[in-house]
Amino acid sequence: DTSGELTPEQHVARATLSQADKMKQVYQKQLASKYLNDLASTVTDKCFLKCAQDGMLDTSDQGCSAMCCDRYLDTFELVRRTLQTRNRR
């Protein structure tokens, strides 16, 4: 067709691709949300176990907790960047 208009089949194909893209974006957002929740839970658990005395955090444990979270997240970011670099090769 030289008029530049799409056939009905082409409209359906575009709509289907658009819906697939939207579904993919929704799935990626859900996956990212779950991933962040899991990360926060893991950091909380590990740092609580490391820093809490008698199963409770008090003001003297705040420094330990903050340092633990910072180190965990810094290490996580380093590993993420390293894996991302390797995957590009």
Side-chain angles (χ1 to χ4, degrees):
D1 185 65
T2 58
S3 66
E5 293 184 26
L6 297 176
T7 66
E9 293 82 12
Q10 289 170 322
H11 281 290
V12 169
R14 279 194 178 175
T16 302
L17 286 175
S18 177
Q19 290 170 343
D21 287 342
K22 287 177 185 175
M23 289 175 57
K24 183 178 176 182
Q25 289 174 351
V26 167
Y27 176 74
Q28 287 173 335
K29 286 180 184 178
Q30 290 174 343
L31 190 61
S33 178
K34 181 186 180 327
Y35 183 73
L36 289 175
N37 287 336
D38 289 349
L39 177 62
S41 179
T42 299
V43 170
T44 300
D45 291 346
K46 289 188 180 297
C47 293
F48 181 83
L49 290 174
K50 179 180 187 300
C51 298
Q53 298 173 2
D54 299 326
M56 295 179 58
L57 285 175
D58 60 26
T59 54
S60 64
D61 300 323
Q62 287 178 353
C64 174
S65 179
M67 183 68 77
C68 178
C69 289
D70 288 346
R71 284 186 175 167
Y72 192 92
L73 294 175
D74 288 345
T75 302
F76 175 82
E77 180 62 18
L78 177 65
V79 170
R80 186 194 66 78
R81 277 189 262 137
T82 301
L83 291 174
Q84 189 176 38
T85 301
R86 287 184 184 172
N87 285 336
R88 289 183 188 156
R89 294 180 189 169

